Each structure stands twice: as C-alpha cells, then as structure tokens.
Amino acid sequence: MNWQGWAEIALTLGLALALGWPLGVFMSRVWNGEKTWLDPVLRPVERVFYAATGVDPNKSQSWIGYGASLIAFNLFGFVLLYAMLRLQGVLPLNPQGFAGVTPDLAFNTAVSFVTNTNWQNYGGETTMSHFTQMAGLTVQNFVSAATGAAIAAALARAFAGNKLSGVGNFWADLVRTTLYVLLPLSIVFGVALIGTGVVQNFAASVTATTLDGANQTISVAPAASQLAIKQLGINGGGIFNVNSAHPFENPSPLSNLLTAVAINTLGWAAFFAFGRTAIARKDIRALATAAILILAAGASVIYVTESQPAPALVAAGVENPVYMEGKETRFGIASTAAWAAQTTGASNGSVNGMHDSFSPLGGGMAMLLMMLGEILPGGIGSGIAIMVVMAVLSVFVAGLMVGRTPEYLGKKIEAREIQFAMVALLIVPLSTLGFAALTVAWPGALASLFNPGAHGLSELLYAYTSATANNGSAFGGISANVPWWNTTLGFAMLLGRFVPIVAVLAIAGSLAAKPKLAPSAGTLPTQGTLFVGLLIGIIIILGALQYFPALALGPIVEHFQVLEALGAN
Amino acid sequence: MTVMDLPPDDTKPTRLADSFSPAMLGRAVGEAFVKLDPRKLLGNPVILATELVAALATISAVAGYAGGIGDGAFPTAIAVWLWATVLFANFAESIAEGRGKAAADSLRATRTTTKAKLIVDEKQGLIVPTPAHELGLGQIILVEAGDIIPVDGEIIEGVASVNEAAITGESAPVIRESGGDRSAVTGGTTVVSDWIKVRVTAQPGSTFLDRMIAMVEGADRRKTPNEIALAVLLAGLTLIFLIAVVTLLGFAAYSGIELDPVVLGALFVCLIPTTIGGLLSAVGIAGMDRLLKVNVLATSGRAVEAAGDVDTLLLDKTGTITFGNRMATEVIPVTGIREEVAFRAAVMASLGDETPEGRSIVELGRTKGLSVTAPAGGTVIPFSATTRLSGLDAEGKSWRKGSVDAVLKLIGRSEADMPAQFRQSVEKIARSGGTPLAVVEGNNLVGVIHLKDVVKPGVAARFADLRKMGLRTVMITGDNPVTAAAIAAEAGVDDFLAEATPEDKLRLIREEQGKGRLVAMCGDGANDAPALAQADVGVAMQTGAQAAREAGNMVDLDSDPTKVIEIVEVGKQMLITRGALTTFSIANDVAKYFAIIPALFVTVLPQLQALNIMGLTSPESAILSAVIFNALVIVALIPLALRGVKYRAVGAGALLSRNLLIYGLGGLVAPFIGIKIIDVILTAFGLV
C-alpha cells in the first residue's frame, strides 16, 4: 500500500461521482421530456420511433401498463437474442465460422444480456461471431440499461407527483434514454477508447511471429464499440474471455482509468437524475453519500487485504509476497481493488483481475458488495431504485421514532409499499442462497468446482450472488457451461432482475396515487448525516446479515485458515 | 345553555384505567397460557414461528431421552426457553389488555337493568314500564329524579341535572336541557333532580356505553395501518432468516458439518424479530390505555395513530387559549380627572354587576387598594342588549359604564366632540384587541376601562413546544380580525381564523388537508359535527351535542378542549415506542450471530473460534445464552412497551438522534453484554 494507490482509488471513485452530477441533470431533463441541446438532431429521430410503433409518448401508463410494456419488450428481446444465438452459423459477419450456440448456453446468455447481467459462460473470441456481438449482445447492452433507467424514472415521478394515476410512458423512457443518453455517450467514449489503443475491426484474427519465430494467432474484434456501452451501460460482458484484463480491451493505465470511471458514471447520474425528477435533490444526495461511503470502504478493504502477504508466496520465499496472482502488473493492486469494488458495487460484470485469486477477505468483500443489492451505485436506474427501497425501509423502521407514521419524500409509507419492498429484498437471498444450497445437494453439480473446501464454497456462492444481483462478474474456478449451471444461473438472473423491477413499479404505482405531504419540523429529516448513518446501518443489517452464516463457511473461515497457515510458516 | 357551576366534589374523579393489581397480573399469566393456542397466534407470524420451533425442540428433547441418544438436557433447556419466549410475548399482550378489561368490567356494572318509563300516549300521560333492551329508535321515555337513563337519547322536553360519573368519572352533576348543544343524554347516567322527556337515539346494544365497553376491552381492536405494515415487515424478515437458516443446512453439509436441528431452530428464533413481534400489540393497546388514563376514548387505534401524525391543530380561542372571559386590566382617566376618581367610578358602576367582566373590574380596584362597599339603598341598573350599559344609582349619584357609543349617547355627546385624549385611549385599546368601556359619573366622562381577553399562562410556551414538534396551531375565534390578531400574537399561535363560522372551519380543514396536512380539532356543538368528521382527529366533548360525539373519532370525557394537545403527544409516544422496539429488536441480531455462528461450526472448523469475540464458554452455553437473552429481553421491555418511551417536545432531528443512540446503538451493544452475563452465570453454576 502506498499513497499513490490510495490516491488512485480516490481519483477513480471521485471522478465517476463528479461526472455523474452534470450527466444526471441531463438525464433528468431527458426523463422529464424537457428541452435538451440534442433536440434539433434527435427529436425527429425520436418521432420516427413513435410514428412507426403508434406509441403516444405523452400518455402516462398505470404501473401495471408500464410493467406489462417493460416485460413484453424484454421478452421480445430475449426471444430475438436466443434465436440469433442458435442461428449464429447461418447469419452474416461470421469470419471465424462459429456454429450455433447450444440451447442451454443460448438460454443462459440471452437471459444474461437481457437482464443487464452479462454473466458469460463462454469465451467471447471462441464462441460468438461479430454479428452476434454487435447486433445481439451490444443491442441488449443498450436496451437493458435503458430498461433499468426507466424504472427509476417511473419511481421518481411517483414521488414527485400528487395523486397521479400513471407513472409515465415506458416506451418514451426507453427510447429517450437510449437515444439521448446512451447512444451519444457511447459514440464519444468508443472513439476515445480507440484513441487509447482498444482494437476495432471486423477481422477474425491477426497473425504474429513471436520472438522464437513461432506463428501466433491473435483474435481481434470490434471491441471499442462494444466496450463503450459495456461500461457506460454497466453491463460488463467482455468481447474477449478475460474481459478488461485483455490488452486489446484495456491496453493501458489510461484506458483503465477511463473505463473504470465509466463503470460508475451513469449509475451516479441516475442517482442525481432521480433527485431532480423526484424534486428531492438533497435527499438523494444523502443516498449517494451513503453509497459512496460504503463503496470507498469496500475498495479500501480490498486494497488492504490484497496487499497482505499470501501464505503460499511466503512459503516460497518470494520477496514481496502480496496477492499479485491473477492481477495485471500493468495496473497493480490499487487499480484492481478499485475496479473490483466499482464493478461489484455497480452490477457491472467486467473484471481486470481474477477475483478467484484474491485473498479470502478481498474476494469476500467483492461478494458482499453484490449481496448489498447492487446499489453502490448499481446499474443505471436499477441501483437508485433499490437504494430508494432501502431508504424507504430505513424510514419505516426508524422513522417511527420521531413520533409520526413513516413517510419518505412526502409520501406515506404503508403496508403496500412495505409488502413490495420486502418482496424486492427477499428475492435476493431466496435466489442466491436457495440456488447455491440446491447446487450443493444436486448430484454432480459440484464437479464443476475447481477447488474443494471453503474456497470452493466461495466460488459457488459468488456465482449465484453475481447472477441474482445481475452483476455478471465471475469469481472463476467453475466450469459453468453445463446444463445445471446454465439453467439455474439463468433463472437466478431472471428472478433477480424482474421480481425487484415489478416490486419497484408496484411501489411506484402505489406512491404515485398518494397525496404529496408537506414536510414540517416534525418530519423525519432524510438529508443529514444522521440519516446517512441510519441508512448505512439498515443496508448492512437488512441487506447483508442474512448472508453471514454462509459467508462464515466461505471467505471468513478461509481467511482464518490462511492466518493459521501464515502462523505455521 | 351553560353548565351549571355546582359545588365541586371533594373526591377526585375516579379514573377508568388505574395501575395494576395483583389480580390483574394473575389473570394475565393465565391468559398467556390460553394464548398458546396456535390459532390465536395466526396474526403474529413471528411468535407463531417461535412456537413451532419450540414444539420441534420439545419433540427432539423427548426423543433424546426416549432413544437414549446423547444427552437430553441441552435440547430440554432450549425447548423450555423457547416456550418461555412465547409465553412472555403472550403475557405482554395479556397484561396490556388487562387494564382495559378491568375498566370494561366497571363500566358494565353500571349498565342499567331497570325498566324504562315508555310514554305511550303523550296527551293522556300514559306510561308503560318497558325493559330497556326493548326500546326502539324514536320512542319517547320519561326519566325522573333518581332514575338511571336507560339508553342514549335527546331531551325533547324539560331540564335536569344529571350525574355522569359512570361515564366520565366526574361526580359533579351537569345540566342537560332540551334544545341546543346540551340536549344529549347518555345511557347509564343518572338524573339527580327534576325530570326530562327523552327521545331514544340509539338502539340498545349500540349505545355510547356499549361502544365504550367495546373500545376499552379491545374487542373491536383491529390492527392499525401502521401495525399492518410493520407486521408485513416482520413477516418478511422472518422469511429472510428462514431462508438463511434452511440453506445453511446445505452449506454446512458441504463443509462436512452435521447441524443439530434444535440448534438451527434456536438460531432461527434468535434472528427473527421476536422482541418487537412479542410486544407489538401490547404497545398498541397501551397507547389506547394511556388515552383512557387522561379520560379520552378513541373509537379506534387508527385514530390514535393519526394523532401522532397531526400537522395542524385547530384550537378554539375561548376556553383553550384564553380563559373565556374578558377581564379588566386598566382604567385610563380622561384628562383632568385624577386616576383614583376614575377608578372609583369604574368600580361603583360595577358593584352590582355580577358578570365576570364586572367582577374583574371590582377585583382590579381591590388590587389597586380601592376597597368599596355597596352603598345601602342603591339601585342596580343591569346590562341590557338595548341600552348596552349597566351601572348603579345611589346616594343621589349615578355611575354608568358601557360601550363607548352607548355611553356618549347617554350623556348627549356625539362621537365628534369626544375629548382627544379619550379618543386616543379608546382607539389604542381597540387596536390591541381589547374592548374599551366608557365610564361616566353623572354626566361627566371620567375614563375608559380596558377589558382584555386574557391568555392562559403557559399557553405560549406550549405552542412553542408544538412548533418544535412540527405542529402548526391555528386559533379559531368569532372575534373580529383586529382582536383576533392581537390575541394570536400574544398566545403565539401560527395562524388564526377570525369571525369564524362552522363552514369556515370546515373549509379551513379541507384546505389544510389539500396541502397534505393532517388536522386535529375539538368541538362540542352540533354545528361542529361536519368539521369533526372531516378532521383526521376530531375530539368531541362528552358534554357536547350527540351529533358532535358521533362525528368525532375521540371523545374527551373531561370536556377539556386543551386535551387535544395531550392526545397528539400520546399518539406520538405510541409510534415512538413502536419504532424504538423495532430498531432495538433488529439491531440485536448482530450480537446473536457472533454468539451462535462460531458455536455452530467450531467443532469442525476450529478456526472460527476467532469469531467468538465474547469468549463464551462452550458452543452449548453460547446457544443457550443467546436463547435465554432473547426470551428475557421481552420481559425486560414490557414496562417500556406499556409505559411508552418518554416523549420530548423537540424537533424530529433531535428526537431521532436521541432515540437512535439509545435504541439503535443500545440494541447493538446490549445483547453482547447480556449474553456474556448469562453465559458467565450458566458456567458458574455448572449448568452447561
């Protein structure tokens, strides 16, 4: 550890937050249908979409209508992507001549990209054609991110309004977020990435002659264009197997910094956009404060634990025996720690180092950040939406202590809200722990694990945590491209995505219909330090405590075993 | 239309709800066992789950003894303490219900069984004795001195003094008469003098007394909206921990650990929020009880909850903010008249005046050292609406006081030729919201009396407290805007409504509610009924009109309009207590994990001993200590649940930080200490 490392972590985290602010204001204008400087160019394009589909963008939908549109759109996207994966062999732009994808992997992959998870049970450069990458996966990278943003927009409107019957128009939210926010930013960012040396071409591979004179075939791809939305859309699916540890996807410290910042930027932007649309900027700033504090703590823990001596290296008598296995020397420990925290806190599945090789507590922390519900700052919109659910629960539990029935942002929190908040909260452990425990019992399922003992349990637990949280990053250490894992991980992703979405929309519908109450001196303050502290406490107690027994048998016991091994040396 | 001032009784009014008696405790213990019936626990998933685990542990313990597998003592101890947890929770509810039941019993005793005198033919005065329960709506009965009024009704003829102690606990009789707002009578009260004819307005079985009994007994107690929401949260948490514990079976199997189902059950019970689950209904009942203690009846728990949420208080000026009578505060002499002359004239003019205003003038004179006795043979000129003045003729002189224009007219002067200094005094008094009374001796204008609506002492401080709690106070008065503004400023209310009609009140309430505020008010007149019904918390006075009592969702048996402030405080206190116990309960989980998790796994994974930060003796003692702590904490918190968390009138921020510190941080720390202490005791006595 050194000050440069800490500065690097602070810079990466801080830049993302700082950029998120102005972008959030812009995003809120887009959600609200206000004027933007892109209007002259994009307004006509937007109108084409509505004219072609017959959608009236000004017609506010009830939460059920909004949810039905969302589900229908995502179902359509799933079917399309599944078909594309299966029929890959006969589709164009396939210079490598890859065959169609097997049914279980196609299911897993289609679900993965539709749910904004980007869990990859395949190696990109050995499985997917350029066409699949660009027309299938990248398209979902855009629209799944816009879907997440849409639910935040709906929820924000519900808080802002007074006795509304609708929560907005899903199609308008989808089109506008994609067109005004994701597309322009991706173009700019993609070009910038090409400038840092990320590859962008349609060739199958290039051939190089190594120093020994041998021929080496190196895969290439249209990487920059996909990488841009992979990070901005908080998706994370790499075009190459080793993701952002690959020199063509992440060639230099500069590209590493840019992409790392991009991982969180739009997540934060959605926070600020929510604040502006819900007319509650200060309240949402408190949520952002809580999120950045937990995220910074997470990054720090990983940085510290990865800088500790690793027992195997100590035993081998290595000079500086820190956890460098699985990390890129180009980036170093601090960059990798910041990246690990940023991605696991933000539902972004990309990695620039192998989490499987982290110290037990470092890997455990990455897992814990996902278990907290992907709210730090999470995916675009989906993060702030669940963060608001946590705020609602905090207000509900502790808010009574000011002697009023709980309210948040001027809306009373009653049985219906709590019911759906609990549904959103409950599905995460049910799917994560449920599938993980089932896998332990399923005959043959454990054969996919590379490691026995506590570390194996961590690999298993991490997989279902990542899938349910729609994160997509892999601990590694599992050969998961088999029917059991493909199927169960697919269902974990579906449950983790759509159950909370429906729950959040139900909350939005219920809140929208309520009168907006005026705050008074007797109203629970949801802006200051006190609330930030309360929120952090609730996030940790309600969001993480249920995983403690499982974590005790995985990373925690492994940590103590490592300490024991170090002591023995 | 006034309540007659009868000499007050020496004995204090008996309150409906008093403290516990040993008999009540005994009854509560008995009921705790009756409530073990799982059907009675269906509404409380947390405690029901605890009972299920307790039953499983019992089976396991029995099987342990019968099969001779290992030692049955440990599962037995766990089973016993799990049953104790359920019993403690049941006991908390029973003891809370106990006070209401006792109050209901005493009310039921006053229900009459005597026969009513039903008037069959009014002209001939034909009266048929009829059992009270056979009376129908609209029938007319005669009630005479000494009779108990059999049902609720409206007086259509007559006037009588009625002892309402059965309902209010106040033994001084009140006057009830036909017409106006004092015409309602309540079944169970007694006519002390005279007779009245009463039209029956309530079916027997749905009278005020019946409703009261139902309310205090809690028969009608449905869960309030916030209680329902909290129950959902608790059920959700129970499910989450069920998932955590059940899936642990799989992970433990993976790690080569065979978990004892009893221990797993114990972990589950420790994690689910048993503390608040066990005390939730007791908190709600105790809230209603605290209202009963200040002699207020709420028709539902919902109303009590709404009271905590109130943003705006509508308060009638008279009786709530001011004493209700204007009082003399000074006498300003006309230029050229000595002050004591003017004072003397004012007192002389008031000697025969028995109104509170008149008495206050004499009283003011006395404090100035002016002791005047009425001259013999004088003639008192009483106030009349036409002359608008009053006074005294004696010893050949005459003194008059009255409204300025009436007095000027009397002495034949026009308003135009008032002395300038006199005019200034009059205007100054009027501007300050007071009432000027001109005083003349013979034909000479001698001064002006300043009559003032006197604000009750301490009112301004009370309103300042309310403001800190986020409550706006709005004063309602029939006074003109100038007078109203002056009193409003003195009392420190946030706003006022002058020259208010009942329609204005209703409009104001709707306006406030439209801005998203909850409104509380009190009222007693029949014309208050629409506003009482519209308000979120409508407190009707027990002495008020029947329509008002039915429109409001609370009845104040003391008929004290300031009570609405106390009601708000009781509502807030109930919500705070509920929140404090919830926070405490959830915060407890952290320590319990540290007790039980290492205990579960340490035999196979000895490295996890590092998590045993409390240094508990053995896995068995750790688990048992956590279970015992979990049970005892319910008992320890029963007094808090019943008494309520102390409420302070400070802002929400200060209140939250204080309560978070005590119940949040306390909830984190307390179980670490408690579990350690129990472990030390168990170890010392060699129990584990």
Side-chain angles (χ1 to χ4, degrees), chain B residues 1-9 159-162 170-177 182 192-194 543:
Chain B
M1 295 235 296
T2 51
V3 179
M4 193 186 274
D5 278 329
L6 290 171
D9 205 298
V159 50
S161 57
V162 178
E170 175 61 58
S171 51
V174 291
I175 294 295
R176 295 289 183 180
E177 61 191 343
R182 302 277 177 270
V192 184
S193 70
D194 307 286
T543 54

Side-chain angles (χ1 to χ4, degrees), chain A residues 50-125:
Chain A
Y50 302 140
T53 51
V55 166
D56 175 4
N58 298 318
K59 191 180 160 286
S60 188
Q61 297 171 294
S62 72
W63 79 266
I64 293 179
Y66 196 100
S69 303
L70 186 152
I71 301 278
F73 175 76
N74 278 274
L75 185 64
F76 173 76
F78 166 78
V79 171
L80 199 67
L81 182 54
Y82 181 81
M84 206 181 279
L85 288 164
R86 298 282 291 136
L87 300 173
Q88 179 173 260
V90 297
L91 291 170
L93 255 181
N94 186 359
Q96 303 97 324
F98 292 133
V101 177
T102 58
D104 56 319
L105 180 61
F107 165 76
N108 183 284
T109 307
V111 166
S112 173
F113 278 78
V114 167
T115 57
N116 196 252
T117 309
N118 296 27
W119 175 272
Q120 294 168 296
N121 269 347
Y122 60 88
E125 61 271 55

Side-chain angles (χ1 to χ4, degrees), chain A residues 219-479:
Chain A
S219 295
V220 289
S225 59
Q226 208 212 26
L227 176 59
I229 187 64
K230 155 192 152 184
Q231 303 302 50
L232 286 172
I234 319 188
N235 296 284
I239 204 157
F240 302 113
N241 193 17
V242 294
N243 211 300
S244 285
H246 196 292
F248 286 175
E249 216 168 315
N250 193 1
S252 65
L254 178 62
S255 70
N256 189 66
L257 178 70
L258 288 180
T259 44
V261 168
I263 288 167
N264 285 160
T265 301
L266 285 183
W268 291 124
F271 268 63
F272 298 118
F274 189 101
R276 187 172 177 275
T277 295
I279 322 173
R281 293 181 207 223
K282 282 186 181 169
D283 303 85
I284 302 304
R285 234 177 279 161
L287 304 194
T289 309
I292 191 76
L293 286 177
I294 302 177
L295 187 62
S300 307
V301 167
I302 298 176
Y303 185 37
V304 170
T305 55
E306 295 315 292
S307 306
Q308 302 304 313
L313 299 181
V314 174
V318 174
E319 195 175 321
N320 184 18
V322 293
Y323 283 87
M324 272 307 285
E325 189 207 287
K327 294 187 180 65
E328 295 289 301
T329 43
R330 284 177 296 154
F331 307 138
I333 292 180
S335 280
T336 313
W339 187 288
Q342 283 184 291
T343 50
T344 51
S347 122
N348 184 305
S350 68
V351 288
N352 72 352
M354 293 304 122
H355 294 180
D356 200 16
S357 305
F358 277 20
S359 69
L361 284 188
M365 178 47 74
M367 204 180 326
L368 186 67
L369 288 174
M370 292 191 284
M371 287 167 168
L372 292 181
E374 297 299 20
I375 49 178
L376 315 168
I380 305 176
S382 57
I384 178 65
I386 298 300
M387 186 56 134
V388 167
V389 169
M390 294 312 295
V392 161
L393 286 171
S394 307
V395 161
F396 186 79
V397 169
L400 282 172
M401 286 194 293
V402 302
R404 290 170 69 91
T405 59
E407 63 190 70
Y408 188 58
L409 309 184
K411 297 281 181 157
K412 278 269 172 249
I413 307 301
E414 288 162 309
R416 198 174 159 78
E417 286 76 32
I418 294 302
Q419 217 170 322
F420 285 104
M422 288 315 284
V423 168
L425 197 66
L426 212 116
I427 191 66
V428 185
L430 181 65
S431 168
T432 305
L433 298 175
F435 280 120
L438 219 56
T439 301
V440 168
W442 195 263
L446 293 181
S448 290
L449 296 181
F450 293 172
N451 293 80
H455 197 73
L457 188 65
S458 295
E459 291 169 346
L460 159 80
L461 207 55
Y462 193 102
Y464 288 104
T465 304
S466 172
T468 306
N470 297 145
N471 180 283
S473 77
F475 205 52
I478 310 172
S479 51

